[in-house]
């Protein structure tokens, strides 16, 4: 199957700082990338949909100025959590769509804001 | 009503047992369906797509019932390694995004 990498896998930052998470499709060009967040014992929640070269589409309730998404190429999308707060601590997962509608997920980034 | 609903479980079954999960969806225009598997603190991984005619992959069988708006996953001869959360995923044709169910947790017991 398709391979998606995510970096970093784990990050701890102080409240008020910004954190950038990278998502790369390693062996294919992704037409669309998605960013999800998952809190403990909860379902994946879609945050935004990202197409290369265009602005991301954010889900209702997700602040676009707080969660900055850049999809610079067909193999790279980045999510920047700006001015992070403890309530932003979560598991952030990206996915990439290759052929069809199946999504292939990165290994996730566990963010802890202290 | 949620767009995609699953029984959260947990389903505790002995090794070798057959277990089935259902997932209901609310939008009759939904076109594509998938089952993903997620291990604890890991990312979801595609288990199988669900076709209208049903499909089988080894011990796993997926079925779609459009009339009643649900999909099912059957696991035969359960292995300890099948212990995971199984996520139902639904997509409406023409929409880029998919909707995930909250998942059904399976625990296979020795």
């Amino acid at each position: 199957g398709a391979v998606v990498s995510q970096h970093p896998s784990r990050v701890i930052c102080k409240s008020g700082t910004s954190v950038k998470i990278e998502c790369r499709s390693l062996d294919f060009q992704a037409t669309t990338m998605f960013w999800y967040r998952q809190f403990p014992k909860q379902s994946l929640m879609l945050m935004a949909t990202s197409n290369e070269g265009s602005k991301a589409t954010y889900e209702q309730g997700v602040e676009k100025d707080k969660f900055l998404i850049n999809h610079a190429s067909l193999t790279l999308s980045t999510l920047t959590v700006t001015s992070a707060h403890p309530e932003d601590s979560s598991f952030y997962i990206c996915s990439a769509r290759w052929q069809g509608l199946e999504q292939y997920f990165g290994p996730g980034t566990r963010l802890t804001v202290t | 009503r949620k767009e995609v609903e699953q029984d959260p479980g947990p389903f505790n079954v002995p090794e070798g047992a057959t277990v089935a999960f259902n997932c209901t969806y609310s939008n009759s225009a939904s076109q594509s369906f998938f089952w993903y598997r997620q291990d604890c603190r890991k990312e979801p991984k595609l288990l199988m797509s669900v076709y209208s005619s049903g499909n089988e992959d080894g011990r796993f069988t997926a079925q779609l019932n459009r009339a009643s708006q649900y999909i099912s996953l059957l696991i035969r001869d359960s292995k300890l390694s099948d212990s995971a959360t199984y996520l139902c995923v639904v997509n409406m044709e023409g929409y880029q995004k998919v909707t995930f169910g909250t998942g059904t947790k399976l625990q296979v017991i020795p």
Side-chain angles (χ1 to χ4, degrees):
Chain A
V3 179
V4 177
S5 72
Q6 212 173 314
H7 177 81
S9 57
R10 189 180 298 268
V11 59
I12 301 173
C13 70
K14 291 187 176 180
S15 188
T17 61
S18 295
V19 174
K20 181 186 280 190
I21 303 169
E22 289 188 352
C23 177
R24 292 180 186 273
S25 56
L26 297 184
D27 52 357
F28 66 100
Q29 292 185 325
T31 53
T32 307
M33 287 184 169
F34 303 86
W35 286 97
Y36 294 86
R37 180 167 53 182
Q38 187 175 35
F39 293 105
K41 299 188 186 298
Q42 293 189 25
S43 180
L44 286 165
M45 296 299 295
L46 179 65
M47 299 177 67
T49 302
S50 172
N51 292 298
E52 184 263 341
S54 62
K55 290 184 178 180
T57 302
Y58 289 81
E59 294 301 299
Q60 193 172 10
V62 178
E63 300 174 58
K64 62 180 181 181
D65 294 329
K66 181 172 179 63
F67 298 99
L68 301 178
I69 292 172
N70 183 279
H71 197 153
S73 73
L74 284 170
T75 60
L76 173 64
S77 177
T78 60
L79 168 68
T80 301
V81 183
T82 62
S83 186
H85 291 283
E87 57 267 29
D88 297 324
S89 299
S90 186
F91 191 44
Y92 291 85
I93 310 177
C94 71
S95 71
R97 174 180 289 155
W98 177 33
Q99 296 174 348
L101 291 165
E102 298 92 346
Q103 294 183 27
Y104 296 90
F105 287 82
T109 296
R110 193 160 300 280
L111 170 63
T112 303
V113 184
T114 61
Chain B
R1 182 183 174 187
K2 288 183 180 178
E3 289 185 53
V4 180
E5 287 199 78
Q6 292 182 255
D7 180 343
F11 283 59
N12 297 313
V13 303
E15 262 187 297
T18 296
V19 62
F21 314 132
N22 280 347
C23 165
T24 59
Y25 59 94
S26 61
N27 193 321
S28 59
S30 300
Q31 290 292 329
S32 303
F33 310 89
F34 309 90
W35 283 104
Y36 279 74
R37 169 196 168 126
Q38 186 174 25
D39 293 286
C40 188
R41 299 171 74 87
K42 296 286 183 67
E43 78 278 18
K45 294 191 174 171
L46 179 65
L47 181 64
M48 59 199 305
S49 303
V50 186
Y51 304 125
S52 296
S53 56
N55 48 309
E56 186 175 314
D57 183 3
R59 297 181 294 109
F60 299 84
T61 300
Q63 299 265 343
L64 167 63
N65 185 317
R66 287 194 183 274
S68 301
Q69 293 183 205
Y70 74 87
I71 65 172
S72 63
L73 178 66
L74 180 80
I75 305 175
R76 288 181 296 278
D77 189 23
S78 299
K79 312 289 185 192
L80 294 176
S81 57
D82 294 334
S83 298
T85 296
Y86 290 84
L87 304 170
C88 162
V89 179
V90 176
N91 170 266
M92 275 179 56
E93 186 173 2
Y95 285 78
Q96 292 195 71
K97 68 178 187 180
V98 297
T99 302
F100 281 80
T102 51
T104 297
K105 186 172 182 178
L106 171 66
Q107 186 71 46
V108 181
I109 305 164

